[in-house]
């Protein structure tokens, strides 16, 4: 191709903007408008017309515009279809014998027969019991599994009666046979053996060996009479009742007694008779409880009659611990099958009260001496069972029941274990209104068996959920803390104090909270007791943060920061600092300059920052940086800009290891510089300029410390733009030159979210942004014409681009619009009070000649590259690049120049030569050119249109 002579098209930006504006068209009231509501037609007449005739009937309302959704359904929307269908069908009427009141009563009874989600299930307590009640002593299992007569009959057995008779004979052998004894088992071995029995039960039931399954259940139930290792009994109860639950679940009842035939009833009854003939009380009781639901085979009210009988049977168990867990199991199954039968639940609890006297009897005391178990430890074994029984009794119970329970507790001498369970079980609102009464009862309790601080802990849990009368709150806190502060064990103390912190924060001021914190520090500091109580201490912090969102109040507590000093384990201390910052960011809505808050939170953020090391994960660094940045954004000194800058200087030194924080600080300083210029405009100009230069110096010093090269490039550019907007030309020049000099260091690939990706796209985006800034940057008087543009293009020329990449020439094409804009008499945009090149050169012909010469060089480079692409048969890339350069010439070149005009035609034809150019884009571009040709003084465009060939690849 011949040499090109570039001439930029003269632009009239204001006129072009006006000509590109949208025309305003008036819309009549009745005309269609896209925001006008759509009228849905009635479908009744249409449905009738389709059945009988082919003619369409008129609708009840006319539609202004066709609704695409209505089109899909022939104008019938789903709601209209259902309405029409319901109108044509008969309505359901209730028979006269059933009234709406009967239906309401039926629904109410159905709800009473079910346990709602507000009832805490046994499954949620199971894991806690197993983890809490453990032992290191050896355990044993004694099993009498019977003879081998219990095998299932062969599949060939024909008569049902024969099968039933065989099973009944097998039941006679239930308690006969060989003994299997496993001794010296560890706790884990014991658990494994019980799990094996559970699995054997499942296999026996699945293979229709029902008698064998029953044998396993009976023998496992016998284990619940063994209290040789008494500390393990609650966990043993959980493991054995798992087997009973498996057995009971197998007997699924999904019918009523009326639907059961006589043969099935007789078989069921015989099984119950054989269970009743089991000699030992405990296995007989547990097996029948497990099959409680099967009473539905016999009569409708079978369960209602059976529950009182089973409750009375438990009275025959001599060991009070074994008896209380039997009652707990009966209450659990009773709540599953008949939660509305409250009388049985209440009776179990009242029977439980009568057994408390046995705890201090000779039999129990001798057993405790033999096993070397202290009475406080022994009493804790009752807690899971009593808690469960009371949970069942108190479920949706009226407040009057609590009053009755309190009276019974008083009659028993305020038994501490029972009182504790009552406070756990009943609704917090009921407990809170009687908090003063409970405190009086706690005072009267004997502390030897059950410590009072545990009782106050249970009371505190209720008061954390519900409020006592306002006049009683301070006396309640004082009475509770008198007991808590005297607890000698640091672990017991913090367990109780942590509960009452919430009550204190909920109802009192920082003065009372500060007193509580002081007492906790006093108890937990000796012998570094706090090291064993980090979870409780963290809970104290969380509760304080829940109720104190005003950080000026929070940090004015004298003991809050000393309290935080107890968190000396790095991971825990950082976690506490995180929680503080999260609450601050969530609830601090206004910027602050409070020195108390700033100093405290700087310390908190520094703690988080100093935890970062070489092993810290990137996600952790990112989350810490987000919290610290949230703090920095909330710091504002108003118009005291120097103080704000001083804060940023201190923050830079404090958070130097977290790059996102440094980036945030640079953004903050740039915003500060812009805000300073806006606020101080027209006053103290020298002082303002000096401050802006100080901001620029801050950024210029900080940016090189960043490791991300694109962060450095973008911040150099941003800081240069800010300096330029503030008329700091030398600082702007330094930033832009630093960005240009950094380009050769850009790697060909960068890590993005842990994956290596090409940096080419990011680099092109940056260069385009940089080019748009250069339009308003004046040339340096000592550096020559367009020195920054030339420096950038030289760096692009020398940069090592990827193989088979067109990025370099894409930059050249992108530079042409900038150079064309620079040659205009008036620039597209400018910065106030900054004399750009339009003012410096004033359209000087020598300046324009320099621009044209540079444009010709760039176009020559692009054309040479197009030739190379043609030789390499990279026709798709050649087509794209040629079309891009054509668009640039059309928009910015003076096509009245014949050579430039011919070059544009050649580029168009080259881009379409092999049919790789997007047809839709080409058609729209050609239509635009034709429209342009119709404008005045556009004869050269109309001539060019005739030579443009539109060709697609077919």
């Amino acid at each position: 191709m011949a040499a090109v002579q570039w001439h930029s098209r003269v632009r009239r930006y204001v006129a072009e903007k006006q000509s590109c504006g949208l025309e305003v068209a008036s819309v009549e009231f009745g005309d269609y408008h896209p925001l006008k509501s759509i009228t849905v037609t009635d479908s009744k007449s249409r449905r009738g017309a389709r059945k009988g005739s082919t003619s369409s009937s008129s609708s009840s309302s006319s539609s202004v515009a066709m609704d695409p959704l209505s089109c899909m359904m022939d104008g019938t929307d789903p709601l209209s279809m259902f309405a029409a269908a319901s109108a044509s069908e008969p309505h359901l009427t209730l028979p006269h014998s059933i009234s709406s009141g009967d239906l309401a009563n039926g629904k109410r009874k159905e709800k009473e027969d079910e346990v709602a989600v507000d009832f805490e299930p046994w499954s949620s307590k199971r894991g806690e019991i197993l983890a809490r009640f453990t032992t290191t002593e050896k355990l044993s299992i004694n099993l009498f599994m019977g003879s081998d007569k219990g095998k299932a009959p062969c599949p060939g057995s024909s008569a049902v009666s024969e099968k039933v008779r065989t099973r009944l004979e097998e039941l006679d052998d239930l308690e006969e046979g060989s003994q299997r004894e496993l001794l010296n088992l560890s706790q884990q071995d014991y658990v494994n053996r019980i799990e094996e029995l559970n699995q054997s039960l499942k296999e026996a039931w699945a293979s229709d060996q029902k008698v064998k399954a029953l044998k396993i259940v009976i023998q496992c139930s016998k284990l619940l009479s063994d209290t040789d290792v008494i500390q393990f009994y609650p966990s043993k109860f959980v493991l054995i009742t798992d087997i009973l639950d498996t057995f009971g679940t197998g007997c699924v009842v999904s019918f009523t007694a009326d639907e059961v035939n006589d043969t099935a009833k007789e078989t069921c009854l015989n099984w119950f008779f054989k269970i009743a003939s089991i000699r030992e009380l405990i296995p007989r009781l547990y097996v029948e409880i497990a099959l409680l639901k099967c009473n539905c085979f016999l009569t409708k009210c079978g369960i209602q009659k059976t529950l009182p009988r089973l409750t009375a049977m438990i009275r025959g168990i001599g060991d009070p611990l074994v008896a209380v867990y039997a009652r707990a199991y009966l209450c659990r199954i009773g709540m599953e099958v008949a939660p509305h039968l409250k009388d049985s639940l209440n009776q179990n609890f009242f029977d439980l009260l009568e057994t408390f006297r046995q705890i201090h009897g000779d039999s129990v005391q001798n057993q405790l001496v033999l096993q070397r178990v202290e009475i406080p430890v022994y009493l804790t074994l009752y807690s899971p069972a009593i808690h469960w029984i009371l949970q069942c009794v108190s479920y949706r119970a009226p407040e009057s029941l609590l009053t009755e329970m309190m009276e019974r507790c008083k009659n028993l001498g305020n038994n501490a274990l029972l009182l504790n369970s009552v406070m756990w079980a009943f609704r917090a609102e009921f407990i809170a209104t009687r908090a003063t009464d409970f405190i009086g009862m706690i005072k009267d309790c004997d502390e030897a068996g059950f410590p009072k601080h545990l009782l106050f802990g249970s009371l505190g849990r209720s008061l954390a959920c519900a409020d006592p009368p306002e006049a009683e709150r301070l006396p309640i806190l004082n009475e509770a803390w008198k007991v808590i502060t005297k607890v000698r064990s640091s672990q017991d103390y913090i367990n109780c104090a942590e509960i009452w912190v919430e009550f204190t924060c909920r109802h009192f001021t920082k003065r009372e909270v500060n007193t509580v914190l002081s007492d906790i520090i006093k108890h937990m500091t000796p012998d570094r007791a706090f090291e064993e109580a980090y979870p409780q201490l963290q809970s104290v912090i969380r509760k304080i943060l829940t109720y104190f969102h005003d950080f000026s109040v929070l940090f004015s507590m004298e003991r809050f920061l000393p309290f935080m000093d107890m968190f000396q384990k790095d991971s825990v201390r950082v976690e506490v600092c995180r929680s503080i910052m999260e609450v601050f960011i969530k609830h601090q809505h206004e910027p602050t300059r409070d020195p108390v808050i700033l100093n405290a939170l700087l310390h908190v953020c520094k703690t988080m920052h100093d935890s970062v090391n070489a092993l810290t994960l990137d996600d952790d660094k990112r989350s810490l940086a987000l919290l610290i940045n949230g703090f920095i954004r909330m710091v504002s000194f108003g118009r005291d800009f120097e103080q704000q800058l001083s804060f940023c200087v201190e923050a830079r030194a404090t958070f130097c290891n977290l790059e996102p924080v440094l980036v945030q600080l640079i953004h903050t300083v740039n915003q500060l510089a812009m805000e300073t210029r806006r606020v101080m405009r027209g006053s103290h100009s020298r002082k303002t300029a000096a401050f802006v230069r100080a901001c620029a110096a801050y950024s210029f010093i900080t940016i090189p410390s960043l490791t991300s090269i694109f962060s450095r490039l973008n911040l150099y550019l941003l800081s240069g733009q800010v300096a330029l907007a503030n008329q700091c030309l030398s600082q702007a020049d330094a930033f832009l030159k630093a960005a240009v000099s950094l380009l050769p260091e850009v790697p060909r690939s960068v890590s993005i979210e842990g994956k290596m990706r090409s940096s080419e796209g990011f680099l092109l985006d940056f260069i385009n942004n940089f080019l748009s800034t250069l339009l308003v940057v004046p040339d340096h008087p000592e550096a020559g014409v367009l020195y920054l543009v030339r420096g950038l293009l030289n760096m692009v020329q020398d940069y090592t681009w990827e193989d088979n990449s067109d990025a370099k020439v894409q930059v050249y094409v992108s530079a042409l619009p900038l150079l064309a804009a620079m040659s205009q008499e008036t620039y597209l945009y400018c910065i106030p009070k900054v004399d750009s090149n339009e003012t410096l050169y004033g359209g000087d012909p020598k300046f324009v000649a320099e621009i044209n010469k540079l444009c010709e060089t760039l176009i020559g480079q692009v054309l040479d590259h197009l030739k190379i692409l043609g030789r390499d048969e990279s026709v798709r890339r050649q087509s794209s690049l040629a079309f891009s350069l054509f668009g640039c010439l059309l928009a910015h070149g003076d096509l009245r120049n014949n050579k430039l005009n011919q070059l544009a035609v050649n580029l168009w034809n080259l881009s379409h030569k092999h049919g790789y150019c997007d047809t839709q884009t080409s058609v729209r571009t050609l239509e635009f050119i034709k429209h342009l040709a119709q404008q005045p003084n556009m004869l050269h465009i109309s001539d060019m249109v005739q030579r443009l060939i539109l060709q697609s690849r077919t």
Side-chain angles (χ1 to χ4, degrees), residues 176-187:
E176 300 175 3
S178 60
Q179 176 178 352
R180 183 185 177 193
E181 187 173 12
L182 300 173
L183 303 175
N184 297 322
L185 297 177
S186 67
Q187 178 179 318

Side-chain angles (χ1 to χ4, degrees), residues 908-938:
W908 172 276
N909 294 334
L910 177 62
S911 65
H912 291 78
K913 181 178 180 180
H914 301 283
Y916 283 108
C917 197
D918 182 67
T919 304
Q920 185 177 4
T921 304
S922 298
V923 170
R924 294 177 62 183
T925 303
L926 191 58
E927 290 176 352
F928 170 75
I929 297 173
K930 292 178 179 179
H931 173 74
L932 195 63
Q934 297 175 2
Q935 304 300 319
N937 302 321
M938 289 294 178

Side-chain angles (χ1 to χ4, degrees), residues 276-569:
S277 67
I278 298 174
R279 287 189 293 269
E280 296 184 30
L281 172 61
I282 290 177
R284 181 170 75 247
L285 177 68
Y286 271 100
V287 173
E288 187 169 356
I289 293 174
L291 298 179
L292 184 61
K293 188 179 291 187
C294 292
N295 281 276
C296 295
F297 276 94
L298 306 176
T299 61
K300 292 181 179 180
C301 56
I303 294 176
Q304 189 171 357
K305 293 180 179 179
T306 304
L307 280 174
R309 178 174 57 80
L310 294 176
T311 301
M313 286 174 61
I314 298 177
R315 297 169 188 165
I317 300 177
D319 192 314
L321 183 65
V322 177
V324 73
Y325 277 94
R327 289 189 177 92
Y329 188 63
L330 177 59
C331 290
R332 179 156 77 86
I333 301 303
M335 284 295 289
E336 292 178 4
V337 300
H340 59 287
L341 299 178
K342 295 290 187 180
D343 292 341
S344 174
L345 297 173
N346 295 342
Q347 189 58 52
N348 269 283
F349 177 73
F350 297 145
D351 287 352
L352 166 66
L353 299 182
E354 297 300 324
T355 64
F356 272 114
R357 299 183 180 88
Q358 295 178 259
I359 295 177
H360 300 286
D362 292 340
S363 175
V364 173
Q365 294 298 319
N366 292 337
Q367 185 182 26
L368 297 183
V369 171
L370 183 64
Q371 298 195 34
R372 300 177 181 177
V373 176
E374 299 292 334
I375 190 67
V377 176
Y378 176 69
L379 290 178
T380 60
L381 303 178
Y382 285 79
S383 297
I386 297 178
H387 282 357
W388 179 260
I389 294 172
L390 274 169
Q391 178 181 329
C392 297
V393 170
S394 64
Y395 180 66
R396 294 183 177 176
E399 195 169 358
S400 57
L401 181 61
L402 175 59
T403 304
E404 181 181 355
M405 294 291 182
M406 294 175 68
E407 290 299 322
R408 288 179 178 265
C409 286
K410 291 178 182 178
N411 295 336
L412 284 173
N414 290 327
N415 183 283
L417 179 64
L418 177 60
L419 191 60
N420 185 62
S421 297
V422 169
M423 289 187 291
W424 267 89
F426 278 87
R427 288 174 54 186
E429 294 81 358
F430 295 169
I431 304 297
T433 57
R434 295 168 173 77
T436 302
D437 295 335
F438 275 105
I439 288 178
M441 296 172 68
I442 292 173
K443 287 182 177 180
D444 295 337
C445 287
D446 180 12
E447 197 168 7
F450 202 93
K452 290 184 179 179
H453 70 268
L454 296 180
L455 297 175
F456 274 105
S458 299
L459 178 61
R461 287 188 183 90
S462 296
L463 298 184
C465 303
D467 300 334
E470 186 173 357
E472 300 177 9
R473 292 171 187 174
L474 185 57
I476 288 172
L477 178 61
N478 289 331
E479 291 295 334
W481 212 261
K482 285 178 185 178
V483 175
I484 296 170
T485 194
K486 293 178 181 178
V487 177
R488 293 182 178 180
S489 167
S490 59
Q491 197 63 40
D492 291 341
Y493 167 83
I494 193 60
N495 286 338
C496 193
E498 174 255 328
I499 296 171
W500 279 88
V501 164
E502 183 161 4
F503 177 77
T504 309
C505 295
R506 187 183 180 104
H507 299 295
F508 299 98
T509 65
K510 70 173 185 178
R511 177 176 173 272
E512 289 77 14
V513 176
N514 191 64
T515 303
V516 170
L517 293 180
S518 179
D519 194 64
I520 294 176
I521 294 171
K522 176 183 175 182
H523 279 79
M524 303 307 295
T525 302
D527 300 324
R528 300 178 67 86
F530 54 78
E531 293 181 344
E532 303 298 325
Y534 283 138
Q536 294 90 335
L537 296 176
Q538 284 180 273
S539 177
V540 170
I541 289 288
R542 284 194 296 269
K543 289 174 180 177
I544 292 174
L545 293 174
T546 301
Y547 293 96
F548 287 85
H549 298 154
D550 187 342
F551 277 74
S552 61
V553 174
L554 182 66
F555 290 126
S556 65
M557 295 184 197
E558 295 178 0
R559 310 307 293 168
F560 184 78
L561 291 179
F563 182 87
M564 287 189 60
D565 290 338
M566 289 194 294
F567 296 102
Q568 296 189 10
K569 186 178 180 181

Side-chain angles (χ1 to χ4, degrees), residues 10-47:
V10 177
R11 306 293 294 273
R12 301 288 184 266
Y13 294 118
V14 176
E16 290 180 19
K17 181 179 179 180
Q18 293 176 349
S19 65
C20 294
L22 298 176
E23 296 182 1
V24 179
S26 59
V27 179
E28 296 296 333
F29 179 76
D31 292 347
Y32 166 74
H33 189 273
L35 298 182
K36 188 173 181 178
S37 59
I38 299 173
T39 304
V40 180
T41 58
D42 190 359
S43 61
K44 294 180 181 179
S45 58
R46 290 179 182 268
R47 290 170 60 85

Side-chain angles (χ1 to χ4, degrees), residues 9 30 32 75 87 161 250 406 421 429 506 570 659 663 723 756 773 920:
R9 181 166 68 90
Y32 166 74
S161 59
M406 294 175 68
S421 297
E429 294 81 358
R506 187 183 180 104
D570 290 344
E659 186 161 311
V663 172
M756 298 304 295
T773 303
Q920 185 177 4

